[in-house]
């Protein structure tokens, strides 16, 4: 197992679809019951043994996140990243130019992992010459039409990535936002951004890398909720209530509500 790894958490999302909640706190700082999205993910990463954690965010969020990290007594590297205003991929490229560790795990602060994904992900990372992507089973078949879908062969090799929503798709697995790659892939990222929109979906970059011949493998890990709308935060909070109370009935309620919201999208 590769031991020297930096986790880069992209925490620059503005939460435009979160309604009035976006006025209360930056999206990474929105609370799921008793802890924010970002704090939960950092704790999960540290429990899994990740020590080098970098959080990158916008200037206007920096102080709020800094204060939250101090209250939680979490030691991470927080970087004010001017490229977040251009998109997450330009922000990632900026960070890759700043840090020195070659082995990178990328994650997004607005993902609520129902279980800790980092343990499984770290155990299954192989050669640093390959890229690895975290995947999850679909919660409901409707997930397959919402984009962010990865297709694997029988050896868990990634053979296709579809980022854009498609009502025609009914196969595949969900990408949970985790990706492991060598920092030297920043050369590919620069070339990708030179010829594509700065706001391109992240999965499009990994599909680009795959087509250039880099071997990508999928690692099956935790189910997750991508927090894009207030209803996603409600569902995640119900999961969290079930988790802290160890009450499976609350989890069942969360799943029923999650399915209802998903079908009404």
């Amino acid at each position: 197992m590769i031991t020297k790894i930096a986790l880069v958490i992209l925490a620059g999302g503005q939460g435009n679809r979160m309604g009035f909640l976006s006025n209360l706190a930056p999206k990474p700082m929105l609370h799921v019951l008793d802890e924010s999205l970002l704090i939960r993910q950092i704790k999960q990463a540290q429990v899994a043994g990740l020590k080098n954690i970098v959080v990158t965010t916008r200037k206007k969020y920096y102080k709020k996140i800094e204060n939250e990290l101090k209250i939680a007594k979490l030691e991470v590297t927080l970087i004010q990243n001017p490229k977040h205003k251009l998109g997450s991929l330009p922000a990632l490229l900026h960070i890759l130019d700043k840090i020195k560790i070659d082995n990178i795990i990328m994650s997004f602060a607005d993902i609520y992992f129902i279980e800790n994904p980092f343990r499984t992900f770290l155990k299954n990372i192989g050669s640093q010459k390959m890229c690895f992507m975290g995947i999850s089973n679909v919660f409901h078949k409707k997930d397959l039409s919402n984009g962010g879908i990865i297709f694997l062969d029988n050896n868990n090799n990634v053979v296709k990535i579809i980022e854009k929503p498609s009502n025609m798709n009914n196969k595949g697995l969900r990408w949970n936002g985790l990706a492991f790659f060598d920092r030297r892939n920043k050369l590919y990222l620069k070339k990708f951004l030179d010829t594509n929109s700065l706001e391109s979906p992240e999965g499009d970059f990994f599909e680009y890398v795959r087509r250039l011949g880099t071997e990508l493998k999928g690692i099956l890990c935790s189910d997750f909720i991508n927090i894009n709308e207030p209803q996603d935060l409600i569902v995640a909070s119900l999961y969290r209530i079930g988790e802290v109370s160890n009450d499976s009935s609350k989890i069942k309620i969360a799943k029923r509500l999650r399915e209802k919201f998903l079908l009404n999208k």
Side-chain angles (χ1 to χ4, degrees):
M1 184 176 73
I2 299 169
T3 55
K4 197 168 185 180
I5 297 174
L7 170 64
V8 175
I9 303 177
L10 296 166
Q14 298 191 86
N16 294 330
R17 288 182 284 171
M18 296 302 296
F20 74 94
L21 292 174
S22 62
N23 296 322
L24 301 177
K27 188 159 72 159
M29 291 291 96
L30 290 174
H31 275 237
V32 177
L33 192 61
D34 59 332
E35 60 187 2
S36 71
L37 291 164
L38 177 61
I39 296 302
R40 176 181 176 84
Q41 198 171 129
I42 291 171
K43 287 180 178 178
Q44 287 177 327
Q46 290 182 336
V47 165
L50 285 165
K51 301 183 186 304
N52 298 300
I53 300 176
V54 178
V55 177
T56 165
T57 191
R58 296 170 184 259
K59 179 180 180 180
K60 64 180 179 179
Y61 299 157
Y62 185 90
K63 283 296 181 183
K64 290 183 178 179
I65 292 179
E66 183 181 48
N67 290 336
E68 185 94 0
L69 291 170
K70 285 180 180 177
I71 292 170
K73 298 179 180 179
L74 295 173
E75 294 186 7
V76 304
T77 301
L78 178 61
I79 296 178
Q80 181 179 302
N81 189 332
K83 300 299 182 179
H84 272 293
K85 64 183 180 182
L86 300 177
S88 58
L89 288 177
L92 176 62
L93 180 59
H94 181 76
I95 290 300
L96 296 181
D97 283 331
K98 294 285 185 183
I99 59 180
K100 303 300 181 185
I101 297 175
D102 284 336
N103 302 308
I104 306 296
I105 294 176
M106 178 189 78
S107 186
F108 300 96
D110 59 356
I111 299 291
Y112 180 84
F113 291 110
I114 294 172
E115 297 175 347
N116 191 333
F118 296 103
R119 287 193 182 105
T120 304
F121 197 71
L122 286 168
K123 285 179 182 178
N124 288 278
I125 290 173
S127 169
Q128 66 185 86
K129 294 180 180 179
M130 295 187 289
C131 293
F132 294 85
M133 302 183 75
I135 55 174
S136 302
N137 289 314
V138 295
F139 170 73
H140 187 278
K141 62 181 180 180
K142 180 72 181 294
D143 282 322
L144 294 169
S145 63
N146 290 334
I149 303 300
I150 291 180
F151 297 85
L152 305 179
D153 65 16
N154 292 333
N155 295 314
N156 291 327
N157 295 305
V158 176
V159 295
K160 190 177 182 180
I161 302 170
I162 298 179
E163 264 286 21
K164 294 181 180 179
S166 171
N167 291 328
M168 303 298 292
N169 184 58
N170 59 5
K171 295 180 180 179
L173 297 160
R174 302 167 69 212
W175 179 37
N176 62 24
L178 293 181
F180 169 87
F181 55 92
D182 190 305
R183 186 170 64 93
R184 284 166 287 195
N185 275 301
K186 69 180 182 180
L187 298 177
Y188 286 147
L189 183 51
K190 285 179 180 178
K191 290 180 181 179
F192 177 81
L193 292 174
D194 283 343
T195 55
N196 293 272
S197 168
L198 297 179
E199 297 182 347
S200 294
E202 299 80 15
D204 285 356
F205 165 63
F206 288 101
E207 175 67 3
Y208 169 80
V209 169
R210 185 190 69 81
R211 290 182 178 181
L212 288 177
T214 299
E215 187 175 359
L216 270 68
K217 281 189 173 290
I219 298 175
L220 187 65
C221 38
S222 170
D223 187 13
F224 68 99
I225 300 171
N226 196 340
I227 308 297
N228 286 320
E229 301 176 17
Q231 62 195 36
D232 300 322
L233 204 61
I234 294 171
V235 171
S237 296
L238 285 171
Y239 271 103
R240 178 62 177 161
I241 290 171
E243 181 181 52
V244 298
S245 64
N246 196 27
D247 187 343
S248 61
S249 68
K250 299 295 191 301
I251 301 295
K252 290 179 181 178
I253 293 171
K255 289 180 177 180
R256 287 199 298 267
L257 190 60
R258 181 181 179 186
E259 181 177 6
K260 181 178 179 180
F261 284 150
L262 186 61
L263 292 175
N264 288 334
K265 279 188 177 181

